[in-house]
Amino acid sequence: MVEEKIIIALDTTEKSKIDEIIKTFRDKNLIFKVGLQLFNNMGPEIIKRIKDSGNRVFLDLKLFDIPNTMIEAAKEMALNGVDLFTVHLLNGRNSLKGLREGLESFCNEKDLKIPEIVGVTVLTSFSSEDFHITFGGFSISKMVEELIVMANQAGIKTLVSSPKEIKLIKGIFPYVKLITPGIRPRDYIKKDDQKRVLTPKEAILLGADYLVIGRPIIKSDNMLKAYENIVKEIKE
Ligand code: C5P
């Protein structure tokens, strides 16, 4: 369902705003993205509030650590009811495979829903020049390719990708699920700081499975309408 493909980025720590968002989208089975800022502000309470409101949680803390530390953190997320969470694919194949297997056996043993592990390729904040300084001869697109092959070997089936990478990734792995930020509705004039944006429909047609949308919804005077307009735009 198109309605469920939208992930709302909860990029605020303002309590009254969070209350309003949660009330507005009660029982919509949407996914809310909780990032470092909000999680450090509210802790696991925010996860509980979202789950209690009949929605799902995408915890975007981008884990990058030794396997044992990541597995233990992921177990806590599963116990808290997190539905999806991010890890850097740069953790490497064995580490990611260990994380996936460790988490699966823990959840099976405790009869918990297994959270979906979402792999992050290369942060879009890297310029080509910075990337070259940090990683030597690799180009960004070559690195993305290497990382997604490795993700596949590690059994990671969901990835975050910039709109620019959707085609490349789906061309290699058509069945991988892609979560894509950098989305701006057709009639949303302000582009904020997003440089390479796609409309929701363009992103879905290119192959995105989930769209992360923040400001166009949460900064709107009528959040429900903004969300419904996006759904309508995709369905047209
Ligand atoms: O407000 P906006 O729709 O731009 O929010 C997009 C969300 O997606 C933010 O939480 C932002 O941190 C995240 N994101 C992004 N670009 C990336 C990765 C994540 O905008 N490459």
Side-chain angles (χ1 to χ4, degrees):
M1 276 222 308
V2 171
E3 283 81 351
E4 290 168 14
K5 287 181 179 287
I6 296 170
I7 299 178
I8 300 183
L10 272 184
D11 292 332
T12 176
T13 50
E14 210 184 302
K15 299 273 179 293
S16 59
K17 185 74 192 178
I18 289 170
D19 291 346
E20 191 193 342
I21 296 171
I22 288 179
K23 196 164 148 222
T24 304
F25 296 102
R26 179 162 290 283
D27 291 326
K28 290 240 177 274
N29 196 23
L30 289 177
I31 303 172
F32 284 109
K33 181 168 89 75
V34 175
L36 283 164
Q37 183 196 11
L38 181 56
F39 192 71
N40 277 294
N41 180 274
M42 284 184 72
E45 186 200 331
I46 185 63
I47 299 172
K48 185 168 181 334
R49 289 205 51 197
I50 295 169
K51 299 294 293 184
D52 288 349
S53 76
N55 289 290
R56 289 171 287 162
V57 176
F58 173 25
L59 189 56
D60 185 20
L61 304 182
K62 299 189 178 66
L63 306 187
F64 197 175
D65 215 313
I66 57 170
N68 184 61
T69 304
M70 291 200 295
I71 292 171
E72 295 305 320
K75 287 180 187 173
E76 297 300 327
M77 294 188 212
L79 287 167
N80 283 334
V82 166
D83 297 278
L84 310 96
F85 68 92
T86 45
V87 295
H88 277 286
L89 291 176
L90 278 169
N91 275 294
R93 185 179 57 188
N94 289 338
S95 180
L96 294 167
K97 190 162 174 281
L99 169 63
R100 183 179 58 74
E101 291 172 351
L103 183 60
E104 278 172 12
S105 61
F106 175 78
C107 290
N108 288 336
E109 197 184 299
K110 302 266 178 207
D111 203 18
L112 293 168
K113 185 182 163 230
I114 306 168
E116 185 78 22
I117 301 175
V118 179
V120 175
T121 57
V122 175
L123 296 174
T124 48
S125 47
F126 263 114
S127 67
S128 305
E129 197 195 350
D130 277 346
F131 197 79
H132 187 74
I133 292 167
T134 316
F135 292 102
F138 266 93
S139 68
I140 293 180
S141 57
K142 180 74 188 146
M143 180 66 100
V144 169
E145 257 185 79
E146 295 282 335
L147 288 173
I148 62 173
V149 168
M150 194 202 62
N152 183 56
Q153 291 165 347
I156 307 282
K157 298 189 177 74
T158 307
L159 304 174
V160 176
S161 95
S162 84
K164 238 181 61 175
E165 294 164 357
I166 300 174
K167 246 187 152 160
L168 168 80
I169 299 175
K170 285 277 171 158
I172 304 173
F173 295 113
Y175 300 112
V176 90
K177 283 211 161 34
L178 290 186
I179 298 179
T180 307
I183 305 296
R184 288 294 173 263
R186 206 172 39 202
D187 54 1
Y188 188 84
I189 323 254
K190 235 177 8 175
K191 295 266 197 295
D192 304 307
D193 53 359
Q194 296 279 15
K195 300 231 161 35
R196 295 180 297 261
V197 295
L198 288 185
T199 67
K201 180 139 197 165
E202 284 168 342
I204 296 280
L205 288 176
L206 266 179
D209 298 279
Y210 294 98
L211 310 176
V212 178
I213 306 179
R215 285 161 292 182
I217 296 177
I218 71 166
K219 296 263 183 209
S220 162
D221 293 336
N222 187 336
M223 294 190 286
L224 190 60
K225 187 126 192 47
Y227 159 77
E228 284 171 352
N229 282 343
I230 293 169
V231 170
K232 205 165 109 205
E233 194 179 318
I234 297 171
K235 284 182 174 168
E236 267 169 13

